[in-house]
Amino acid sequence: MAAAPPLLFPYPPVLEEAVAAIVSLLAAEYPLAPRALALLLLADDAEAWYLVAAREGERVEQVRRIVQETQDRLGEPLNYTLLRHYHEAAATLAADVVSLPARQRQGWGNRLGAWTMRPWPGLPILGLVLYFGLYQAVGVFGAGTVVDFLESRVFEAWLNPWINSLVCSSIPWPWLQELLALDYGLVTLGLRYAVAIILPIVGIFFLVFSLIEDSGYLPRLALLADRFFKAIGLNGRAVIPLVLGFGCDTMATVVSRTLETRQERVIATLLLALAIPCSAQLGVILAILSGRPLALLLWAGIVLFILLLVGYLAARVLPGSGRGFYMDIPPLRWPRLGNVLAKTLARIQWYLLEVLPFFLLASTLIWAGRLTGLFPLAVRALTPLTTAIGLPPAMAPVFLYGFFRRDYGAAGLYDLAAGGALTGTQMLVAATTLTLFVPCIAQFSVMLKERGWRTALGIVLFIFPFAFACGFLLHRLLLVAGLTL
Amino acid sequence: MSFSGRSVSPVNRDPGGMVAHPGGRAGMPRLVLVGTPNVGKSALFNALTGIYVTVSNYPGTTVEVARGRAVIDGTTWEVIDTPGLYSLLPITEEERVARTVLLWDRPDLILHVVEARHLTRLLSLTLQLLETGLPLILVVNVLDEAERLGIRLDLSLLQQRLGVPVVGTVAAGGRGVDELKARIASWYRSAKGEERKVG
């Protein structure tokens, strides 16, 4: 066995004592230094415990007591203490060995990079990123300006009338006319939703996301969010799936498998299904509420509150405990335009390939449903629910769309709001309920695959009544408060 | 089987309490490359092994491990390139596999590959590896990038402080690879000599 190397940087005395005590207890042969094994045990490493339990018999209990006592004395998980120790020791060592060019030592990049990880001014910086990245770029520009242009100039003013008249004049059968054009046609509804409403919003979100990703901001956000996420049973690592959820919850549910424990994965899946709007929903909601700042704030506040509340309760109910994490922090840098564009295009391509067939299929299903009378039946079944939360019957199909795909429902909501069918109060209730309401079919199928049918079904059975209950409560509260937005 | 409510990691093969020693396995010593992703581990692997590579999934996982052979000073080594490892307290499946190779596959010598530009950050793993007591050489790679940025590194001081060999390389361009091979060969000779004495 190799002798333990001389200690470069002694650990805190409490740890040294614990290491020495554990080393003196370990009697078997191991493929690594007893010191190293003792340190792994202190860090609560499952593999190390397994190894020791198999060989040390009753002495394991003594080791466990030492680890527990040490942890109690230091008041934090010991893997934190250890990793911090190594980082500090590495920094001290490197300070003597590395000499940086003078100007780089205090570059603006380093300073900004450090700022983003502290609550002050990290939180205001996050606010700026959200305001410009999400609100201005995705909401105001994408869902507002670009969608307006494509909707009213390209489709409404030009393509739809042209297709409608072409179809009506050249095709004699009404059923085929309705499949292709008119109110719910493949072109006039399916293609229009996909190209004119969803594509600009999602495209701009992916552009912003790629920019943020390549700048090195996300791992910093993970560190910043870590302390807040602890309260909802997650740690900073969950930032990446949750932020990606603002793009597409289906994609994000797949990514949630990078989380460490089953508890974290279930909580992340639940929160993605419940309280993280996808970029299409987000863009549409930002666009229709942008003229009503109070409603927008209320919507964001309510959804955030529900996210924290449900996460907090889930962390209490589900077995397991939140754990620490370690993440590589790359330097902040200017994203390279070529890389950002390539990434954005790849994601848009993935999305279009995924979404376009689905939109066309949904249009066809709706057409078939209308032809057979099933669609009106489903709408009629949902109508009492929409009426109960104070929304007009025209919202019922939107909820039905939303079940096919989140973004499809969002596009329907946009259509309805643009037509002036909703008051400000109704928009708030509709936006909130639609955000919470069901993961779409695509997301549900991924949940089934990743989490198993028991968890997936449990989540959906919770969300469906919960979303409408929240809508109902919000509607009532707004009535009682006499608030018009 | 579980302890303190956590499930045991997927790797639960019992190594049987064997201790690494050179030439102990079918005459071929084993060299393992570890380090964080994107530090040029694979480039170094290629520089050491030439083109003979087998890439296979690590048993029971979807994580790929590349194995090859290198002839260094007349001795044939088995060279293993592991997935990215940030610390000895693994989080992801990839990290678990890397650590398993490191701790239970009985490596004779470990090359910890770091990128010169990020030495400050990456030395943390070097210190953790030193604690394991496994034979270690620190490879400071992508030296040219650091030089281009005006970063100067005192590698001999680092070697003195760490107490293990430190070699600077530009694996992609082949620079420093011969020196690294020489260090590996001299380590092997002295380790063998010691074994003979002990035996």
Side-chain angles (χ1 to χ4, degrees), chain A residues 57-321:
Chain A
E58 284 165 10
R59 288 187 298 278
V60 171
E61 279 315 308
Q62 282 169 272
V63 174
R64 207 182 297 285
R65 250 196 319 276
I66 296 172
V67 171
Q68 190 57 53
E69 276 164 20
T70 317
Q71 185 140 342
D72 292 345
R73 281 172 76 184
L74 285 177
E76 64 177 352
L78 296 174
N79 54 352
Y80 278 174
T81 324
L82 284 169
L83 285 175
R84 206 173 46 228
H85 168 81
Y86 292 123
H87 280 288
E88 283 165 9
T92 315
L93 181 58
D96 294 342
V97 174
V98 182
S99 37
L100 295 174
R103 65 183 164 77
Q104 215 191 341
R105 207 167 291 181
Q106 274 303 318
W108 68 269
N110 288 345
R111 219 172 303 162
L112 185 64
W115 285 350
T116 55
M117 290 183 275
R118 296 185 213 128
W120 175 261
L123 287 174
I125 291 174
L126 174 62
L128 287 178
V129 171
L130 290 178
Y131 178 77
F132 287 105
L134 283 185
Y135 182 75
Q136 286 295 342
V138 178
V140 175
F141 179 70
T145 316
V146 183
V147 171
D148 266 352
F149 172 79
L150 288 174
E151 261 283 285
S152 50
R153 292 289 167 79
V154 178
F155 273 85
E156 297 289 353
W158 175 72
L159 192 65
N160 281 4
W162 182 74
I163 290 276
N164 284 345
S165 69
L166 180 77
V167 163
C168 289
S169 62
S170 60
I171 296 174
W173 309 285
W175 62 267
L176 191 58
Q177 292 175 358
E178 285 194 7
L179 175 63
L180 294 173
L182 302 176
D183 282 352
Y184 296 90
L186 281 175
V187 176
T188 45
L189 187 76
L191 193 68
R192 178 167 65 92
Y193 274 11
V195 174
I197 302 184
I198 304 306
L199 180 65
I201 299 175
V202 174
I204 288 172
F205 177 84
F206 283 149
L207 180 68
V208 172
F209 186 81
S210 305
L211 273 172
I212 292 177
E213 193 182 25
D214 279 16
S215 70
Y217 181 64
L218 282 180
R220 291 179 164 72
L221 185 59
L223 271 183
L224 178 68
D226 190 47
R227 65 185 73 196
F228 304 103
F229 275 28
K230 287 273 159 50
I232 57 171
L234 297 170
N235 67 33
R237 275 180 97 81
V239 156
I240 288 172
L242 292 190
V243 172
L244 198 58
F246 286 111
C248 174
D249 284 299
T250 308
M251 206 197 254
T253 305
V254 178
V255 172
S256 70
R257 73 164 74 137
T258 57
L259 298 178
E260 192 184 0
T261 64
R262 194 188 121 76
Q263 184 208 19
E264 289 170 309
R265 290 191 289 265
V266 171
I267 292 176
T269 307
L270 170 64
L271 294 181
L272 283 169
L274 179 70
I276 306 283
C278 68
S279 57
Q281 285 180 322
L282 193 68
V284 164
I285 288 166
L286 291 178
I288 64 173
L289 296 182
S290 65
R292 298 177 167 80
L294 182 60
L296 188 61
L297 274 179
L298 277 173
W299 169 79
I302 291 165
V303 172
L304 186 66
F305 173 73
I306 289 173
L307 182 130
L308 294 176
L309 180 72
V310 171
Y312 177 80
L313 293 177
R316 295 295 162 286
V317 171
L318 291 167
S321 59

Side-chain angles (χ1 to χ4, degrees), chain A residues 11 31 45 47 55 328, chain B residues 14 99 104 121 131 152 161:
Chain A
Y11 297 92
D45 184 85
E47 214 179 328
R55 295 174 201 201
D328 194 30
Chain B
D14 192 320
R99 194 180 74 162
W104 313 135
R121 203 151 38 84
E131 283 285 12
R152 277 177 301 127
R161 290 280 173 87

Side-chain angles (χ1 to χ4, degrees), chain B residues 7 17 33 42 97 99 104 115 122 138 145 153 164:
Chain B
S7 60
L33 276 63
S42 299
V97 168
R99 194 180 74 162
W104 313 135
E115 198 186 322
L122 302 176
L138 179 64
E145 268 289 304
L153 302 173
V164 299

